[in-house]
Amino acid sequence: MKTNVCCSFDSARALDIARGETPAPRSDFPALAQRVHDHPLVYLDNAATSQRPQSVVRAECEYYGSCNANVHRALHFLAGEATERYEAARRRVAEFIGAPDPREVIFTSGTTAGVNLVAAGWGRKFLQPGDALLLTEMEHHSNLVPWQRVARERGAELRFIPVTPDGALDLGAARRLLADGRVKLVALTWISNVLGTENPVSEIAALAHAAGALVFLDGAQGVPHRRTRVGELDCDFLAFSGHKALAPTGTGILWGRAALLEAMDPFLSGGDMIERVTLTEATWAELPHKFEAGTPHIAGVIALGAAVAYLERIGFDAITEHEAALNRRLNERLAEIPGLRVFGGAAPRIALVSFDVEGLHPHDLAQFLDSRGVAIRAGHLCAQPLLRKLGVNAVNRISPYIYNTAEEIDRAVAAVIEARKWFRL
Amino acid sequence: MVSAMSLDDLYQEILLDHARHPRRRGEIGEGEALADLENPVCGDHVRVRLRIEEGRVKDLLFDGKGCAISTASSSLLAEYAEGRTVAELRESIARFTAALRGEGSLDEFVDSDLRALEGVKEFPMRIKCATLAWHALAQALDHAENKPAGTETNS
């Protein structure tokens, strides 16, 4: 059965953001229509999680309402239907990210699970004392802590590509850090969840590969906003979450080159990931099942397939263009506010802005904005090392997505201005 | 739909005043601090210094970075705690944190502006902000009395 996607946008025509046009029709997202504290909701916390279109919610419900059964096991009709839809989602995701082989697409619970899978399955098996891992100073805790643990366990060294005052990665330093040939893997984020910086992934991958290192890419903030081609990115692993890209929470993808995945040890073990089991030992199933122990989030994966279909229908050209227009507007308007400082600099950035306001703690600002119906994020954004480098404990973050309007940007900025008055700055 | 909220309930005038002009606040070196706590949710940070003289808290000082609620709470607590006995303060800490969890009221703090923090109860996400300094004080009292660390839970 095919999933219906209700999206009427004609992607051939340029969007007029001044007229409130958005690549994704707002009517597809019922959550956006509500009022919060007597104000229309302005949802600008998309880097934390996106809203879901009705087609995604419907796809999840349809599974439970029709073909609900476990996958890859029973011979009955429903099991066959469920398995077919689950595997169709895998093929769709493979196309979505340009993966040559759907067997390389592993369903996980999210980016964090993907990092842990590779840190354990690859790191524990292949890292030797004296080896090094090269990370960056801008990583989310999820692409840092699992590497810290495996490095400690294996006696490997952690190195970090510094962040420049422009909010970019220091590629000269990266070259030097790779020079001795001890780095076995470079783990970095595609787009910073704090600075919005879009890193030159393929350039870094070329440096890494020339030095004999693999490349693990955290795509949590990249995949929702940029057309993803694993071949062009030139990474060896890519992890991302469904929930930041319209799909249900608890869904995610780990993509890896087949030869690497085959050489790795499983992460979780148990049912569905085995080939043959005796009382004392077991052999592993073929890819991708080797990495999908236990009953997966079947409904979520099917709905993830619907989310991918929705994004493809809108098209990343329209998404990129719209977000760039919102980003220009957001930065221009924020620049008018006295005492407001935007983190990051000249490096290329997506529509994601972290800032603080002198004399106004981010928690207090976010609380005020909430009272005006404006949802933003305040805190350390799970990137304490980067915030420490920026010299702050917490920041505010505004992160629009495909359904946000220019008017919403203006309303958020107006609320920041009002907050300064309210707190008598 | 979520109902209207009143920011005035949360940020009462007296709290904003304490947030802007926190009492008993100064720089505390790392070696001098008797407690050093962070709110893991937001990265807010508080340090406490004090000494105990004849069972009473003296020269109480707070340091750190925090939001208006956490700064005001530490300022009000500092005013309240100075000169009180350790036993009395332990009881106050228990009563205050319980009240913010919804078990009791701050009315018992009749002689203090601490009652202005009553509104925080309606904002569950901010309770940690209001209690951070209190957990830090509890830890500082433990350390000052040479009790083993970690006997107070940070909840």
Side-chain angles (χ1 to χ4, degrees), chain A residues 34-38 361 363-365 367-368 370-372 377-380 384 388 391-394 422-424, chain B residues 1-5 7-8 10-11 13 16 20 38 40-45 65-69 123 126 129:
Chain A
Q34 65 192 304
R35 292 176 71 82
V36 168
H37 308 310
D38 272 353
H361 189 279
H363 266 189
D364 298 317
L365 179 59
Q367 188 86 60
F368 182 88
D370 177 61
S371 77
R372 300 302 185 259
R377 175 73 191 274
H380 56 56
Q384 288 181 0
R388 210 164 286 132
V392 290
N393 287 14
W422 200 89
F423 285 99
R424 280 174 231 124
Chain B
M1 140 129 189
V2 179
S3 63
M5 61 184 281
L7 276 183
D8 298 327
L10 179 62
Y11 295 107
E13 199 51 47
L16 289 177
R20 273 191 289 266
E38 282 193 30
V41 180
C42 58
D44 279 355
H45 186 196
K65 271 187 187 174
C67 62
I69 299 300
F123 296 81
R126 305 303 294 276
C129 308

Side-chain angles (χ1 to χ4, degrees), chain B residues 29-64:
Chain B
E30 228 158 292
E32 303 173 87
L34 281 169
D36 192 332
L37 283 190
E38 282 193 30
N39 178 349
V41 180
C42 58
D44 279 355
H45 186 196
V46 63
R47 271 186 191 154
V48 186
R49 193 182 71 189
L50 55 79
R51 59 191 182 83
I52 296 174
E53 196 181 290
E54 293 171 357
R56 290 180 185 275
V57 164
K58 299 280 179 193
D59 300 335
L60 178 58
L61 200 65
F62 280 99
D63 186 10

Side-chain angles (χ1 to χ4, degrees), chain A residues 107-111 240-243 247-253 297 299-302 304:
Chain A
F107 289 121
T108 66
S109 62
T111 307
F240 62 97
S241 300
H243 72 92
T249 57
T251 63
I253 302 293
H297 185 3
V301 163
I302 292 169
L304 171 63

Side-chain angles (χ1 to χ4, degrees), chain A residues 62-413:
Chain A
E62 267 173 14
Y63 162 76
Y64 288 123
S66 62
C67 65
N68 179 69
N70 214 326
V71 290
H72 306 136
R73 290 179 177 87
L75 294 173
H76 56 74
F77 174 77
L78 290 188
E81 277 287 295
T83 302
E84 172 46 33
R85 289 197 202 182
Y86 184 81
E87 291 303 325
R90 194 189 310 275
R91 293 191 294 273
R92 185 163 243 169
V93 169
E95 276 177 38
F96 178 67
I97 62 173
D101 182 350
R103 295 181 314 131
E104 296 175 330
V105 171
I106 315 293
F107 289 121
T108 66
S109 62
T111 307
T112 299
V115 184
N116 278 278
L117 190 159
V118 176
W122 176 85
R124 277 196 200 137
K125 185 164 182 184
F126 295 112
L127 275 178
Q128 300 296 331
D131 286 347
L133 293 168
L134 180 57
L135 280 59
T136 85
E137 288 180 342
M138 63 164 76
E139 296 312 309
H140 187 284
H141 296 162
S142 63
N143 197 29
L144 171 62
V145 179
W147 301 117
Q148 291 175 344
R149 293 184 68 194
V150 74
R152 192 175 311 123
E153 192 181 313
R154 301 298 304 154
E157 180 196 342
L158 289 174
R159 299 178 182 177
F160 297 92
I161 304 175
V163 175
T164 69
D166 267 343
L169 293 177
D170 182 341
L171 295 194
R175 272 187 204 95
R176 289 191 292 280
L177 290 162
L178 285 162
D180 65 3
R182 283 170 51 206
V183 174
K184 294 293 178 286
L185 180 134
V186 177
L188 80 159
T189 190
W190 184 352
I191 289 174
S192 162
N193 73 311
V194 175
L195 302 169
T197 307
E198 185 173 3
N199 289 320
V201 175
S202 59
E203 206 176 321
I204 293 170
L207 296 176
H209 290 150
L214 297 170
V215 175
F216 179 97
L217 188 61
D218 171 355
Q221 301 292 347
V223 172
H225 301 281
R226 293 285 184 262
R227 185 168 173 271
T228 303
R229 291 305 208 226
V230 290
E232 288 167 22
L233 291 163
D234 200 17
C235 55
D236 300 290
F237 297 101
L238 168 72
F240 62 97
S241 300
H243 72 92
K244 293 186 203 290
L246 312 180
T249 57
T251 63
I253 302 293
L254 173 79
W255 170 84
R257 296 189 195 280
L260 291 168
L261 293 173
E262 274 160 2
M264 281 160 58
D265 280 340
F267 177 39
L268 299 176
S269 43
D272 213 34
M273 54 74 71
I274 48 78
E275 182 187 57
R276 184 165 180 276
V277 180
T278 69
L279 282 177
T280 51
E281 56 188 18
T283 57
W284 315 138
E286 296 288 308
L287 292 179
H289 308 295
K290 171 180 163 186
F291 292 104
E292 291 181 7
T295 296
H297 185 3
I298 304 166
V301 163
I302 292 169
L304 171 63
V308 162
Y310 190 96
L311 286 172
E312 281 178 334
R313 178 113 166 213
I314 291 172
F316 279 92
D317 290 345
I319 293 173
T320 304
E321 188 194 338
H322 178 70
E323 291 182 357
L326 290 181
N327 200 27
R328 277 193 298 277
R329 182 132 179 165
L330 178 57
N331 280 284
E332 280 165 20
R333 297 292 321 273
L334 288 177
E336 296 165 6
I337 301 176
L340 188 145
R341 164 176 64 157
V342 169
F343 294 99
R349 287 202 312 236
I350 66 152
L352 182 162
V353 176
S354 291
F355 64 95
D356 69 0
V357 177
E358 201 184 345
L360 189 47
H361 189 279
H363 266 189
D364 298 317
L365 179 59
Q367 188 86 60
F368 182 88
L369 263 56
D370 177 61
S371 77
R372 300 302 185 259
V374 179
I376 67 160
R377 175 73 191 274
H380 56 56
L381 311 187
C382 298
Q384 288 181 0
L386 178 57
L387 263 67
R388 210 164 286 132
K389 176 147 186 169
L390 297 170
V392 290
N393 287 14
V395 298
N396 303 284
R397 180 181 68 192
I398 292 179
S399 55
Y401 201 32
I402 54 180
Y403 34 66
N404 288 116
T405 63
E407 191 213 335
E408 288 183 305
I409 298 293
D410 291 350
R411 299 231 345 255
V413 172

